[in-house]
Amino acid sequence: MGHWLAARRVLDLTELAEEPWVVAEPPGPCRSLVHDACEAVGFRPAVTVDGADYLTAQGFVAAGLGVSLLPELGLTQRHPGVTVHRVRGPEPVRALHAAVREGAWGQPVLGGMVEALRSAAEAAGGRGSVP
């Protein structure tokens, strides 16, 4: 039997308030982004499993140990036992930046890497812009 929200396409963040949570990132800005979004709508995620990475977290979710919010770039390999949904109200969004040594910008390999990052973000549904 699947999760009661599995058939939904888009979820309100508040619908996850009473769920056990699986996290996949160490404490830092990405995890704080999710926690801040949850607190903005009135709850703290009840973390039951602290996964080491996105694939491991998906395995814990597939095993029924909780729900998780993962970045789209972390879902390029999806576990067959999980369903993926958009979250709204608010939708946590993170910014990705590339830092480059001054004077290195004109190197072709660097431009190719930044273009690959831009393409990956757009393919994953990114809505930001890359200068």
Side-chain angles (χ1 to χ4, degrees), residues 3-29:
H3 191 275
W4 69 280
L5 292 171
R8 302 273 304 281
R9 195 170 155 230
V10 178
L11 304 175
D12 288 325
L13 188 56
T14 56
E15 294 176 295
L16 304 176
E18 301 300 320
E19 298 294 323
W21 281 66
V22 174
V23 295
E25 295 175 327

Side-chain angles (χ1 to χ4, degrees), residues 15-96:
E15 294 176 295
L16 304 176
E18 301 300 320
E19 298 294 323
W21 281 66
V22 174
V23 295
E25 295 175 327
C30 291
R31 185 183 283 193
S32 293
L33 181 74
V34 171
H35 284 253
D36 291 348
C38 294
E39 289 179 0
V41 294
F43 75 95
R44 280 186 165 236
V47 176
T48 57
V49 180
D50 199 338
D53 56 57
Y54 301 134
L55 289 175
T56 303
Q58 288 184 60
F60 288 133
V61 170
L65 299 178
V67 298
S68 189
L69 282 185
L70 304 176
E72 290 183 79
L73 289 174
L75 292 169
T76 55
Q77 292 180 295
R78 292 189 184 176
H79 189 289
V82 300
T83 59
V84 177
H85 309 274
R86 284 226 174 268
V87 174
R88 64 179 174 211
E91 176 184 4
V93 177
R94 67 181 185 169
L96 299 177

Side-chain angles (χ1 to χ4, degrees), residues 90-105:
E91 176 184 4
V93 177
R94 67 181 185 169
L96 299 177
H97 303 273
V100 184
R101 181 178 48 85
E102 189 175 336
W105 185 245

Side-chain angles (χ1 to χ4, degrees), residues 113-124:
M113 183 198 72
V114 171
E115 187 55 41
L117 289 171
R118 179 183 291 122
S119 295
E122 290 171 0

